[in-house]
Amino acid sequence: MLRRPLPFLLLAVGLSGCSGGGGVSTASILGGEAAPAPQPGQVSVVADPGERAFHAGAVTARAVRCGYNFDPAMVRSNYLAHEMALGAMPEQMGKLQQTYDVAHNGVAKAAGADANYCTDRRTRDIKTELGRLLEGNFEAPKKQVVKEEGLFSGWMDGGGGDTGPSFGSSDWWESQQDKVGG
């Protein structure tokens, strides 16, 4: 009874070393140190003052457009105080104020021109980002794309690369007609 599950257990343990997670790696076998690999779907935050200024200004403009009840001037002053606390120099503060204002005014103008701007999905995103700003988290989130590499990568997506027209498109139907000779 123990003999049947044993091969499956050994296979599972062996394949776990091929996964993107920690555990067995060439660095752990050879004694070197490896940098931690980003996990799929991981969100990394970029600490760039200009991006933070633009993000904060854009979010406040979007929130005002969609009718959220908050004080945009308070968010602006809190953001600028945050940058000062991080050590921004006076000349950099002027640029950050300008970036914030340009982002806020530009997004407000663009969003104001769109009568259908406040969709359900957009208002959910705005609510999340505005909440972060009101909590004092001014980092602009950046999604990091992680490409899976390994023994089984590409099996379900056709192996990557351009394999021709999309299934069901007019180009695809034309290629099928060409194959049949019609």
Side-chain angles (χ1 to χ4, degrees):
M1 209 174 227
L2 274 176
R3 288 185 183 189
R4 273 200 174 148
L6 187 59
F8 293 113
L9 179 63
L10 290 174
L11 179 65
V13 169
L15 289 177
S16 70
C18 298
S19 70
V24 179
S25 69
T26 54
S28 66
I29 294 170
L30 299 175
E33 284 199 33
Q39 297 301 313
Q42 177 179 354
V43 176
S44 67
V45 179
V46 177
D48 178 21
E51 286 184 26
R52 287 192 297 261
F54 189 86
H55 175 72
V59 169
T60 56
R62 294 170 70 205
V64 167
R65 169 64 177 93
C66 292
Y68 283 94
N69 187 16
F70 72 105
D71 185 1
M74 182 194 68
V75 173
R76 182 179 185 272
S77 66
N78 287 346
Y79 163 70
L80 294 172
H82 172 78
E83 289 298 338
M84 283 188 94
L86 291 177
M89 302 307 274
E91 61 275 359
Q92 187 180 17
M93 288 301 297
K95 290 179 183 178
L96 293 175
Q97 289 175 1
Q98 185 178 14
T99 301
Y100 182 98
D101 293 339
V102 166
H104 182 85
N105 295 333
V107 170
K109 184 177 179 182
D114 185 0
N116 298 318
Y117 184 79
C118 298
T119 63
D120 288 340
R121 180 177 180 200
R122 194 171 275 157
T123 55
R124 279 193 311 268
D125 292 344
I126 293 168
K127 181 179 181 180
T128 301
E129 290 303 311
L130 180 60
R132 291 176 66 241
L133 293 180
L134 293 174
E135 291 172 353
N137 182 355
F138 297 101
E139 295 299 328
K142 294 289 179 189
K143 291 192 178 184
Q144 182 178 31
V145 178
V146 178
K147 180 170 174 35
E148 289 290 327
E149 293 185 19
L151 181 62
F152 297 111
S153 66
W155 278 18
M156 297 304 285
D157 62 4
D162 186 21
T163 59
S166 299
F167 176 75
S169 68
S170 60
D171 292 338
W172 183 83
W173 284 109
E174 289 175 13
S175 70
Q176 296 306 307
Q177 286 291 76
D178 292 342
K179 288 179 184 177
V180 181

